[in-house]
Amino acid sequence: MIQEAKRMGREGFFGSQSLFFATLTLFIMYPFVVSDYYIDVAFFFGIYALLGLSLNIVLGEVGLFDLGHAGFYAIGAYTTAILNTKFGIPVLILLPISAAAAALFAYVVCSPIIHLRGDYLCIVTIGMGEIVRIALINNPFDLTGGPNGVYGIDFPSFGGPFVIDSSIEYYFLIWIVVALSIYGLIRLQKSHIGRAWNYIREDEVAAGASGIDVRYYKLLAFVLGAALAGVAGNIYASKLMCVSPESFTFWESCLMFCIVLIGGMGSIPGVLIGAAFISLFPEIFRPFAMYRMLIFGTVMILLMMFRPGGAWPRKRGAAEHPPLHPGKEGIDG
Amino acid sequence: MEVFLEQLINGLTIGSFYALIALGYSMVYGILKLINFAHGDFFTLGSYVGYTFLVFGSSFITAHFGLWGGLMAAMIIAAVCVAVVGVVVERAAYRPIYPAGRLPAVVSALGASIFIQNAIMVIWGPRYQAYPASLIPNIHIQLGGLHITVLQIVILTMSFMLLGILYWIIQKTTFGAAIRATALDKDTASLMGIDFNKVIFFIFTLGPALGAITGVMVGMYYRQISFTMGWNYGLKAFTATILGGIGNLPGAMFGGLILGVLEMLGAAYISAAWKDVFVFLILIMVLIFRPTGLFGEKVAEKV
């Protein structure tokens, strides 16, 4: 029985074990056969994958509208940037600290608003993201460097001789972090936490009535999602060596939102597909110059027309029932 | 006191822009439960259509209609063009997706927004465009210590008239009743003989047309337009919609006005750089204590 479940879990994700190893080999080989430029493209694919995974916890697993996720991403990036440039703390040591800072921020900000529903929560998260961005521009306490941001962030290291300073190493850094996150998130999906989250997504009132602490689990989703976004912020800041408020606009939050929905809510392989779409599409269509975003918009509409559940919707096991009101998405109206 | 009054008038002007855009959001949301992200771009498109009309028809306009007539014509033409675009966008990008639920429609709306924004960029170029100064009346008047322009008064009067007309349409006419009924309960409304498609057609002509008129007014007011400005106005208008209670049309109007006034007073008395923070903080405060907006009704939880 357990063997069976394990096998199904694996097959649901990669089809089969051999396909999994083929993908793995491809990922390891990739940076050795292409130019630095394409390694960087794959790096940003990884960043978007991590951001997508982080928003997927909030939006995909619990069904909370979060259009201000770039705020958490910004907190992570700026924590790294400020602590590294002002106090010289090595970037890799700041990785968990950035995650914790973003998580703490999420906890403080989301505690009073977690009871809001649907679109009201949506606008408050938008407001939160905008407040973070404007605060960064206005340079409070002379910390954030205003519109120019913070420059001169170190390469990731623990302070010793081990330093990540080439595109290939960055590529492996981000994808190892993504792989670990995916592993953790799959475990989380199957745990009682993941089930509680999905229950809240499908029917919040019933979940509360069955003894699930709705408020606690919603906050937990925000805190974990923010922590993961903080990790992405840390790696992003050290890769670009500078951070500025322009990287954390409402538009960025919208992109993350699209990653989750294009891939399929709550589906981890879906997030990877969505991130690939968002990050690779503009590269592939570069020859079309100014028309490429026109094509991008059109493709987004077409995708939703033909695959409204996402490119790789989450498979529902026998234990999970389809939503009670199809078309209403389980999120309150 | 003068500063206060001047800022109040500025705030009401900007607030009426927000209110007019917010109406478009709120109507679509009320009927379809869809956050129409493309709405801010309808507004930008209107602004650019009005700009083109004014630039290319300038000599003709001043010769035949006078300055004010030209501006009116620009607004009407922008409204008609954008209304057509609105209906086309609804048919092409939203209608096929309704059955799939709300969230895919949100992504589709974002896609439509990206499309319109970039279409504007491709057509008119990525740089700022300036409304021709010679075509916009620039008369200042002193009222006691108050310093206002005639243009501002005209804009204020026009937007309040439009808001009034809209209020009348929605609250007093049969068609308005049909819209409100559909917003309340789509299925029952169609059983009562209300044509759902007609209602959708109506809100997707009226909303974008209002947005386009606002776009021309913003162009006259600030003189400068850019293809990305729809994002900012759209965001503020959406905030106004929520502040007033989503789907509640008079609420959206008041929400817009309140937002504009707060923003301007915040800019004058607190800090211009932090005015948006101020606006969003107030929004968050309002929602913490009134989770369905200022004028939102307490809706019983559907189980």
Side-chain angles (χ1 to χ4, degrees):
Chain A
M1 189 69 194
I2 294 167
Q3 287 293 318
E4 180 74 359
K6 272 189 179 164
R7 195 180 62 80
M8 280 185 49
R10 271 200 300 272
E11 288 196 353
F13 199 70
F14 281 112
S16 72
Q17 219 155 356
S18 55
L19 190 60
F20 170 74
F21 282 112
T23 319
L24 190 67
T25 321
L26 196 68
F27 257 107
I28 294 170
M29 293 297 289
Y30 175 81
F32 297 105
V33 291
V34 297
S35 65
D36 267 11
Y37 178 78
Y38 287 100
I39 300 175
D40 281 353
V41 169
F43 170 83
F44 284 104
F45 172 21
I47 286 277
Y48 277 114
L50 199 53
L51 289 172
L53 288 173
S54 76
L55 183 61
N56 187 44
I57 301 175
V58 182
L59 176 65
E61 298 289 343
V62 201
L64 298 169
F65 280 22
D66 176 5
L67 265 172
H69 215 66
F72 304 132
Y73 180 34
I75 297 283
Y78 268 83
T79 308
T80 302
I82 292 167
L83 291 181
N84 180 258
T85 51
K86 292 246 164 40
F87 303 103
I89 304 173
V91 170
L92 280 179
I93 292 176
L94 285 172
L95 195 115
I97 298 175
S98 304
L104 183 70
F105 177 76
Y107 179 75
V108 171
V109 174
C110 295
S111 289
I113 57 163
I114 203 77
H115 64 285
L116 295 175
R117 317 190 111 238
D119 298 300
Y120 293 97
L121 185 71
C122 174
I123 186 73
V124 169
T125 54
I126 293 178
M128 185 271 306
E130 284 296 288
I131 288 175
V132 169
R133 189 178 63 87
I134 297 164
L136 294 176
I137 292 175
N138 286 333
N139 198 5
F141 311 114
D142 220 14
L143 276 176
T144 64
N148 296 328
V150 183
Y151 290 89
I153 302 152
D154 287 338
F155 291 120
S157 72
F158 288 106
F162 172 73
V163 178
I164 292 172
D165 57 359
S166 69
S167 288
I168 291 188
E169 285 164 6
Y170 268 109
Y171 170 86
F172 282 114
L173 172 68
I174 185 74
W175 281 102
I176 287 169
V177 171
V178 170
L180 289 176
S181 311
I182 290 177
Y183 177 72
L185 289 172
I186 291 176
R187 302 276 302 181
L188 211 55
Q189 272 185 351
K190 294 187 171 148
S191 71
H192 71 281
I193 297 175
R195 286 201 307 277
W197 280 343
N198 293 350
Y199 197 178
I200 294 171
R201 182 185 67 203
E202 299 303 334
D203 195 332
E204 190 180 325
V205 181
S210 333
I212 290 172
D213 188 345
V214 173
R215 192 187 148 79
Y216 168 80
Y217 281 107
K218 279 184 173 179
L219 264 178
L220 184 68
F222 262 111
V223 166
L224 283 181
L228 212 49
V231 170
N234 171 283
I235 298 171
Y236 175 85
S238 73
K239 170 73 182 177
L240 260 72
M241 301 168 83
C242 65
V243 287
S244 70
E246 287 152 50
S247 316
F248 309 104
T249 51
F250 176 48
W251 170 238
E252 208 68 19
S253 302
C254 287
L255 277 186
M256 295 179 213
F257 201 81
C258 292
I259 290 175
V260 175
L261 287 176
I262 286 172
M265 291 242 298
S267 150
I268 288 173
V271 166
L272 293 179
I273 293 173
F277 174 74
I278 296 287
S279 55
L280 303 185
F281 190 95
E283 298 301 328
I284 295 167
F285 282 82
R286 207 166 272 288
F288 293 90
M290 64 198 300
Y291 297 100
R292 74 187 161 131
M293 291 311 279
L294 278 177
I295 304 170
F296 186 72
T298 317
V299 171
M300 265 167 76
I301 297 171
L302 290 177
L303 266 177
M304 286 299 117
M305 231 176 260
F306 295 110
R307 291 204 69 91
W312 188 321
R314 174 121 162 233
K315 281 216 185 84
R316 290 173 185 279
E320 286 181 80
H321 294 291
L324 285 171
H325 314 286
K328 284 192 176 172
E329 293 292 300
I331 294 162
D332 64 288
Chain B
M1 195 60 198
E2 269 108 49
V3 175
F4 177 78
L5 281 178
E6 254 178 44
Q7 289 302 328
L8 193 67
I9 292 173
N10 287 339
L12 282 176
T13 315
I14 295 175
S16 61
F17 296 155
Y18 293 157
L20 286 170
I21 307 173
L23 274 176
Y25 266 112
S26 203
M27 280 195 287
V28 172
Y29 186 87
I31 306 288
L32 295 171
K33 301 285 174 281
L34 161 73
I35 305 169
N36 182 12
F37 278 104
H39 193 65
D41 300 292
F42 290 143
F43 153 85
T44 321
L45 187 63
S47 197
Y48 272 86
V49 171
Y51 160 81
T52 310
F53 176 76
L54 284 177
V55 168
F56 289 100
S58 60
S59 56
F60 180 78
I61 295 163
T62 35
H64 291 81
F65 304 106
L67 287 184
W68 294 111
L71 291 178
M72 290 299 149
M75 280 185 204
I76 292 166
I77 285 179
V80 172
C81 292
V82 178
V84 172
V85 174
V87 172
V88 170
V89 166
E90 193 271 330
R91 287 282 153 90
Y94 299 161
R95 186 160 296 189
I97 298 171
Y98 298 146
R102 302 179 50 199
L103 283 172
V106 170
V107 174
S108 184
L110 276 169
S113 164
I114 294 172
F115 184 87
I116 300 173
Q117 214 174 77
N118 284 279
I120 293 172
M121 192 193 78
V122 167
I123 297 170
W124 280 281
R127 267 181 294 175
Y128 281 95
Q129 304 287 353
Y131 265 55
S134 60
L135 284 182
I136 293 163
N138 187 20
I139 313 158
H140 290 263
I141 43 171
Q142 293 284 127
L143 262 176
L146 276 183
H147 184 79
I148 36 177
T149 62
V150 174
L151 184 70
Q152 214 167 6
I153 298 174
V154 172
I155 287 177
L156 262 181
T157 328
M158 271 202 56
S159 2
F160 275 90
M161 264 166 54
L162 281 174
L163 289 175
I165 293 171
L166 249 289
Y167 187 82
W168 176 76
I169 291 179
I170 289 153
Q171 301 291 341
K172 306 287 178 201
T173 64
T174 329
F175 216 101
I179 293 180
R180 281 181 292 136
T182 313
L184 211 59
D185 189 336
K186 191 182 107 190
D187 297 331
T188 314
S190 40
L191 286 177
M192 299 290 157
I194 292 169
D195 187 345
F196 184 58
N197 286 333
K198 234 184 227 171
V199 171
I200 289 188
F201 178 81
F202 182 73
I203 59 172
F204 272 97
T205 22
L206 196 62
L210 278 178
I213 292 174
T214 321
V216 178
M217 289 202 284
V218 165
M220 296 190 313
Y221 190 62
Y222 291 111
R223 296 279 165 78
Q224 207 181 37
I225 54 176
S226 82
F227 74 100
T228 51
M229 69 178 182
W231 266 120
N232 190 31
Y233 280 88
L235 193 57
K236 288 288 173 55
F238 183 48
T239 311
T241 314
I242 302 269
L243 194 65
I246 201 160
N248 175 340
L249 294 173
M253 294 181 193
F254 286 114
L257 290 174
I258 291 170
L259 197 73
V261 170
L262 281 178
E263 187 179 322
M264 278 299 128
L265 291 182
Y269 290 102
I270 299 173
S271 151
W274 292 88
K275 65 174 181 173
D276 286 354
V277 169
F278 183 65
V279 166
F280 283 119
L281 274 181
I282 290 195
L283 172 83
I284 294 173
M285 285 301 165
V286 168
L287 286 185
I288 287 176
F289 295 108
R290 285 194 64 90
T292 49
L294 283 177
F295 308 99
E297 287 149 39
K298 274 251 173 283
V299 187
E301 230 161 61
K302 283 179 210 153
V303 182

